[in-house]
Amino acid sequence: MSTVTPARPETAAGRRAPAAPGRWRRAGVLAAGAALAVAAVGLQTTGLDREARTAHLTWTGGVGDQVSASRFSARVKAVHVAKAVESAGLDGKVEQATTSGVFVIAEVEATANREPQKFGTPALLTGDGRRYAATDKVDASHTITNPFIQVGWWVGSVAVFEVPAAALPGSRLVLAPRNGFIGEALLPEVEIDLGFDEATAGRLISNAKDVYQLASKK
């Protein structure tokens, strides 16, 4: 008959019991935990759908209104429609952009509420749900994306769009800062109704300027 020898606890002569973790080891564990937390947040952000990642907090108004968002205020002074846009570079060379549709030129003014801002690319939202980015046929140095929007005074420039003539009714201008702030869940934007109903749009198209001349940059 075989016998079973009871297992004996290990003594100092056997495997040594693990020592309590030291200060540097504890710091390493905490750092690793923090890294995992950051990675988890990154995965959550990656998992957001495109609409959630580009969401905005929107303030609205009309032409002539001062529309104040959290970081800036803006207003549209006037809107023009033209068949071509002309601008001059620093060297004095005149360039003309043409289109098979129309150019919409919005005269815009803006001021920053707390610190200087830069606008991202303006957008034109149409009554049928389409979204047009500002045209690249006009150098950005002539538009509202070029200057820093300062605190304490209004900076004026234009936003220029190339769109089909049929897109004018119900269109709105959208302006938002180029970059978000840390901890800012929603990027602020203003959405300004340009006042184009069917009758107004038809009148502006009929009376569209042959050439709209942008202010020279010196």
Side-chain angles (χ1 to χ4, degrees):
M1 180 177 177
S2 61
T3 59
V4 177
T5 304
R8 292 177 298 174
E10 292 182 332
T11 64
R15 189 175 61 191
R16 185 168 56 188
R23 181 178 62 182
W24 297 111
R25 184 178 176 187
R26 288 196 300 271
V29 170
L30 290 173
L36 288 173
V38 170
V41 172
L43 287 174
Q44 289 177 342
T45 302
T46 302
L48 293 174
D49 59 32
R50 184 176 184 278
E51 182 177 356
R53 292 198 306 271
T54 57
H56 291 75
L57 189 59
T58 303
W59 285 260
T60 62
V63 173
D65 294 340
Q66 177 178 323
V67 185
S68 296
S70 58
R71 284 203 260 146
F72 67 94
S73 298
R75 60 188 174 216
V76 172
K77 295 175 57 182
V79 185
H80 310 277
V81 175
K83 301 172 184 175
V85 174
E86 193 173 87
S87 59
L90 294 175
D91 58 359
K93 182 180 178 182
V94 176
E95 297 183 352
Q96 188 176 104
T98 59
T99 176
S100 58
V102 294
F103 287 108
V104 176
I105 305 99
E107 295 183 35
V108 182
E109 291 184 331
T111 184
N113 295 339
R114 295 190 299 273
E115 59 184 85
Q117 306 286 320
K118 273 268 194 177
F119 282 129
T121 302
L124 192 75
L125 300 181
T126 65
D128 60 3
R130 296 179 185 272
R131 186 182 185 97
Y132 292 89
T135 182
D136 59 3
K137 292 184 177 181
V138 174
D139 191 276
S141 64
H142 295 281
T143 74
I144 195 63
T145 61
N146 182 57
F148 272 99
I149 308 305
Q150 302 290 344
V151 178
W153 69 85
W154 291 82
V155 177
S157 190
V158 295
V160 184
F161 303 92
E162 179 185 10
V163 298
L168 266 61
S171 55
R172 292 99 67 203
L173 170 68
V174 178
L175 292 171
R178 182 172 297 178
N179 299 311
F181 285 165
I182 295 175
E184 188 175 46
L186 299 173
L187 199 65
E189 68 176 13
V190 298
E191 183 179 301
I192 300 175
D193 190 329
L194 300 181
F196 291 163
D197 56 19
E198 292 285 350
T200 303
R203 184 170 63 253
L204 286 172
I205 293 168
S206 298
N207 298 323
K209 295 184 178 182
D210 289 331
V211 179
Y212 183 92
Q213 293 183 330
L214 297 177
S216 299
K217 298 298 178 182
K218 298 180 180 180

